[in-house]
Amino acid sequence: MGELLTGVRRGKIPNPFSRKFDLERWRELRSFDDADMCVQDAGVIVFALLEALRPNLKVGAPSISRARALCAHANQHLVQLHQSFIQAVAQLPSPSIDLEQVLDTKMAITGATLGETTDALGDSYVYPLREAINGLTNFNERLSRSEIGKLLEETFHEIHVANQWYLIWFFWTDVLWTGGRLRSTPEGNLELSRDDMFSETIRQIGVWRRSRQAEALSSLVSALSIEGLHSASLMLPKVTRAGDKFVLMLRRKRPEERSWSERIAGFIVVTQELVTRQMLDVSLSLNGTTVLVSEAIRFYSSLLTFAFDLLDEVPDRKIAHLNDAIKLTFESLVFVLSRLCDLDERKARALVDYATFTGQHNESLWGRPLVSAGGGACFVFTPALKSNPARVINDLIDAHSTNPSEKGRAFEAAVRQKINESLAAGPYRDVGWVCPSSIPTSVGDIDVCVILGSTLLLIETKFIGNAIDAYEFARADEILAKGVTQAKANAQAVSSNRAAFISSLAVKFGPTHFERIKDIVPMVVTSDAYHAGFPIDGVFVADIPILHSYLSNHFDTKVVVSSGRVSESTVQLYETAEMGLGLLEEYFARPEIIKRATGRLRPRRVSYPLGIQRENGQVVVELPTFEVGPKEDS
């Protein structure tokens, strides 16, 4: 990695988005390798794009009406996306809907899935909303009809330009952190590509698996029974509309009715094995109020469910109306959420305050779907209600836990527990063993030690958050690389003194299983689907679903939802434990889910119009990538 790239990453050299950036000085900087040249060339292009946008950067003065208009546009945008998605799903041919078909459904307007379209929507709104409410003191504006029309037109323009700015930032960070190459095409457009497209394959398959987690659907059922995860409340939220006002109420739960908050809470647990019993009880400090992780999960799970009811109250229009902004009082939110989540009002208020976007510097809309409207009220920014709930809880723990490292230890415990459950359910039940604790060595601890017949698995566990942008993927690569280094060091330490290591295990845990050990296999087990199934430097990388499929000899090939019921089609990977051991290295080098996903991989080209004019049209950035195509039913 060259000095130019390192300097820009560390903030020692101003990038094109900085006010200190000087194009001539940038051109004169020395490039030490190809990575430096890519960054330098991209910097020139990005600066030119930003210069073309700057004349259009007209953000209005702080105004509560401006914030309301922005939220109205966001809500209307999401309503239209949902309508398109529902219409697309309705056209699926069978009443028994394959879960993967639903998740793969693309909308006619955007050509993207619902998740792809909404994931970055909040990022585009951060700057306009911050400018609209930061330092605001007047919360009682009255506008004429013509002023409202002009405001809606201005804010629509602001959002459009902010989205263009965000896209350029997205392209720049891809170059800076994940090896993207931004260059001109003969047609006068731009292309963001990679010389190493295998890394793009790894990323896209990881994102595809993360969005489905169909392999973990069975685990979802058991996750829903975790003590402390759900409220015992017999009430559910109810949203009604009276004119331009929204009213948040409670209604009684019908017999056998299961709330969406329960499903979401289970999703938070399953998607990353974020919590064990130990993790649920970790304390978070929110402005002097202590809240447990389990309480935060209940709160966000309930808050996220409001999106379904709130969006039903926003009419689908071609042009947004100020009344599409959903305004609620903090008191009603605290009252309803405290009762839905079995929280005292002090804790509910602390969580509502945390979930409120106030326009402070570096504040994002992730986990903050409530936009401060002054006077004890807030607007609901519905795209943020769609925030990845596991990511929100991760961020809460990282920022407010008294000991964030507990997250890693909790994941280690979850891996150990899941391996025990998988062994008990599969062919290895009589020849498998899991060490009940980590094992110290001369080079560090072995997090999880597993014996499968004559094979010793030395597992290094790594908790990784849901990477979304280029920086987060680069950070995930860094964490995984450290895990691989530690796993190899552990394997070397054990191999060089095998007899003493096995003897120490036998003394501590009894002689069972240890005398059969012949092969030593290092492995990294990660909490996220990213890079799972793709070895790094000769070391296997897996996540819990991949590990579970092998140990339990149970691979889900299809998940179907019909009449509210879920059914699964499964296959066995091998016939006996002995055959499984013979396939161990082959399986983890290319797990079944990766084999199938790779077989369905197809090129995909995504185009991002920037709205910047050139001689024969507007500038378009083209992104050659991959996607996992639809499967063929056998």
Side-chain angles (χ1 to χ4, degrees):
M1 185 165 62
E3 293 183 17
L4 173 58
L5 175 58
T6 302
V8 176
R9 282 184 174 182
R10 294 178 178 176
K12 295 182 178 179
I13 299 175
N15 67 55
F17 289 83
S18 170
R19 293 178 181 178
K20 296 180 181 179
F21 182 82
D22 184 289
L23 182 59
E24 292 308 312
R25 289 183 182 178
W26 179 264
R27 291 180 187 274
E28 293 170 359
L29 291 172
R30 182 182 174 189
S31 296
F32 290 87
D33 59 15
D34 186 61
D36 276 356
M37 291 178 64
C38 284
V39 171
Q40 195 165 29
D41 291 345
V44 173
I45 294 172
V46 166
F47 182 74
L49 293 174
L50 295 177
E51 285 292 282
L53 273 186
R54 282 192 172 97
N56 299 318
L57 289 175
K58 299 175 182 178
V59 178
S63 158
I64 196 61
S65 297
R66 186 170 295 278
R68 183 182 178 188
L70 289 166
C71 290
H73 282 302
N75 296 340
Q76 188 56 236
H77 190 172
L78 198 58
V79 165
Q80 292 172 12
L81 289 175
H82 276 213
Q83 289 297 327
S84 298
F85 181 74
I86 290 168
Q87 290 169 11
V89 170
Q91 294 174 7
L92 294 176
S94 171
S96 296
I97 299 174
D98 185 343
L99 186 62
E100 192 171 316
Q101 282 183 298
V102 175
L103 294 167
D104 272 333
T105 299
K106 294 182 175 65
M107 291 163 287
I109 298 174
T110 63
T113 65
L114 182 65
E116 289 173 334
T117 307
T118 59
D119 271 352
L121 193 58
D123 292 313
S124 299
Y125 277 82
V126 169
Y127 178 72
L129 277 173
R130 180 182 296 134
E131 294 301 302
I133 66 174
N134 198 8
L136 192 61
T137 56
N138 179 18
F139 298 99
N140 297 303
E141 297 175 342
R142 292 188 179 275
L143 302 179
S144 66
R145 181 173 296 182
S146 63
E147 288 173 324
I148 290 173
K150 182 180 179 182
L151 177 63
L152 287 168
E153 185 177 336
E154 288 176 353
T155 48
F156 182 83
H157 175 77
E158 286 178 19
I159 295 162
H160 182 63
V161 175
N163 181 253
Q164 293 170 320
W165 193 273
Y166 168 74
L167 284 175
I168 296 170
W169 173 85
F170 168 80
F171 303 142
W172 169 248
T173 56
D174 203 278
V175 173
L176 195 61
W177 292 103
T178 58
R181 189 185 291 270
L182 189 61
R183 49 193 162 196
S184 300
T185 67
E187 297 79 17
N189 289 320
L190 296 170
E191 181 180 86
L192 179 65
S193 61
R194 290 179 182 79
D195 293 332
D196 176 19
M197 291 302 285
F198 184 62
S199 63
E200 180 68 5
T201 298
I202 292 173
R203 180 158 63 170
Q204 293 305 325
I205 288 180
V207 170
W208 172 79
R209 287 190 60 233
R210 183 199 293 163
S211 68
R212 283 148 183 79
Q213 290 299 339
E215 302 151 281
L217 199 64
S218 298
S219 302
L220 179 56
V221 177
S222 61
L224 292 172
S225 64
I226 294 177
E227 183 184 353
L229 191 60
H230 301 128
S231 165
S233 174
L234 297 177
M235 308 300 289
L236 289 176
K238 179 182 179 181
V239 177
T240 59
R241 184 166 187 167
D244 63 347
K245 298 186 182 301
F246 290 81
V247 181
L248 193 58
M249 305 169 66
L250 291 168
R251 67 171 176 84
R252 291 195 68 81
K253 189 186 295 186
R254 293 185 290 271
E256 305 301 321
E257 185 176 12
R258 183 172 149 211
S259 71
W260 272 102
S261 64
E262 292 177 353
R263 303 165 195 243
I264 294 170
F267 171 79
I268 294 173
V269 176
V270 169
T271 52
Q272 288 205 308
E273 302 296 336
L274 174 64
V275 289
T276 61
R277 178 66 256 177
Q278 172 191 7
M279 198 66 212
L280 287 170
D281 291 332
V282 167
S283 297
L284 308 171
S285 180
L286 301 178
N287 292 326
T289 300
T290 300
V291 177
L292 301 182
V293 168
S294 59
E295 293 170 332
I297 291 177
R298 294 205 302 268
F299 171 85
Y300 269 100
S301 300
S302 296
L303 188 61
L304 289 169
T305 64
F306 292 169
F308 298 97
D309 289 327
L310 290 171
L311 285 173
D312 284 343
E313 298 298 328
V314 177
D316 183 5
R317 328 173 194 256
K318 292 183 178 179
I319 302 174
H321 190 283
L322 273 188
N323 287 346
D324 295 338
I326 300 165
K327 189 175 182 180
L328 299 171
T329 67
F330 286 119
E331 289 304 319
S332 67
L333 280 164
V334 170
F335 175 81
V336 169
L337 286 164
S338 65
R339 282 150 182 79
L340 281 178
C341 306
D342 291 337
L343 298 173
D344 65 55
E345 291 199 0
R346 182 175 52 88
K347 290 184 176 182
R349 190 175 302 280
L351 285 162
V352 166
D353 287 345
Y354 178 82
T356 302
F357 180 81
T358 61
Q360 299 301 307
H361 183 62
N362 290 334
E363 199 176 50
S364 76
L365 285 164
W366 280 100
R368 293 182 178 86
L370 310 175
V371 177
S372 178
C378 63
F379 298 118
V380 181
F381 183 77
T382 50
L385 282 171
K386 296 292 188 178
S387 295
N388 184 319
R391 174 173 177 158
V392 172
I393 299 300
N394 284 341
D395 291 347
L396 253 178
I397 295 170
D398 289 341
H400 298 281
S401 172
T402 53
N403 186 3
S405 65
E406 289 183 84
K407 192 165 61 175
R409 289 198 294 272
F411 176 63
E412 178 188 318
V415 170
R416 191 176 290 111
Q417 176 186 337
K418 290 293 183 182
I419 292 175
N420 268 314
E421 292 173 359
S422 301
L423 290 177
Y428 288 113
R429 65 178 66 86
D430 297 324
V431 293
W433 177 84
V434 185
C435 186
S437 61
S438 59
I439 301 173
T441 73
S442 59
V443 294
D445 289 351
I446 299 171
D447 291 339
V448 182
C449 183
V450 182
I451 294 176
L452 302 174
S454 60
T455 300
L456 176 65
L457 287 182
L458 304 179
I459 294 176
E460 177 74 9
T461 61
K462 286 295 177 187
F463 186 92
I464 300 176
N466 285 156
I468 301 295
D469 60 35
Y471 171 76
E472 291 171 350
F473 278 109
R475 176 65 180 145
D477 286 334
E478 184 181 322
I479 293 171
L480 288 172
K482 289 179 179 178
V484 166
T485 299
Q486 185 61 52
K488 293 176 78 170
N490 289 342
Q492 179 60 37
V494 171
S495 298
S496 62
N497 206 358
R498 179 186 305 213
F501 179 79
I502 292 174
S503 176
S504 67
L505 289 182
V507 169
K508 190 171 183 180
F509 302 107
T512 307
H513 299 298
F514 301 118
E515 69 279 357
R516 291 179 282 188
I517 294 175
K518 293 180 181 178
D519 301 316
I520 297 174
V521 178
M523 180 181 293
V524 173
V525 174
T526 170
S527 60
D528 188 33
Y530 171 63
H531 225 301
F534 294 92
I536 299 175
D537 198 16
V539 174
F540 300 130
V541 179
D543 59 6
I544 286 179
I546 285 175
L547 202 57
H548 170 76
S549 290
Y550 173 77
L551 294 175
S552 65
N553 196 21
H554 178 101
F555 176 75
D556 294 331
T557 59
K558 189 174 183 179
V559 180
V560 174
V561 182
S562 179
S563 302
R565 296 188 176 185
V566 175
S567 61
E568 299 166 285
S569 300
T570 64
V571 295
Q572 289 190 334
L573 301 174
Y574 48 87
E575 293 182 11
T576 64
E578 185 177 357
M579 291 179 64
L581 281 176
L583 293 171
L584 185 147
E585 295 200 14
E586 179 184 338
Y587 172 83
F588 284 107
R590 198 163 182 246
E592 186 67 20
I593 184 62
I594 302 302
K595 190 186 302 181
R596 294 181 181 229
T598 304
R600 292 160 50 191
L601 206 64
R602 63 187 185 186
R604 181 186 184 194
R605 201 169 187 88
V606 185
S607 297
Y608 296 95
L610 291 182
I612 298 172
Q613 296 302 313
R614 54 185 173 86
E615 288 184 5
N616 56 343
Q618 63 173 312
V619 176
V620 175
V621 180
E622 298 175 349
L623 176 62
T625 182
F626 299 104
E627 67 177 354
V628 179
K631 58 189 172 187
E632 297 180 1
D633 292 329
S634 55

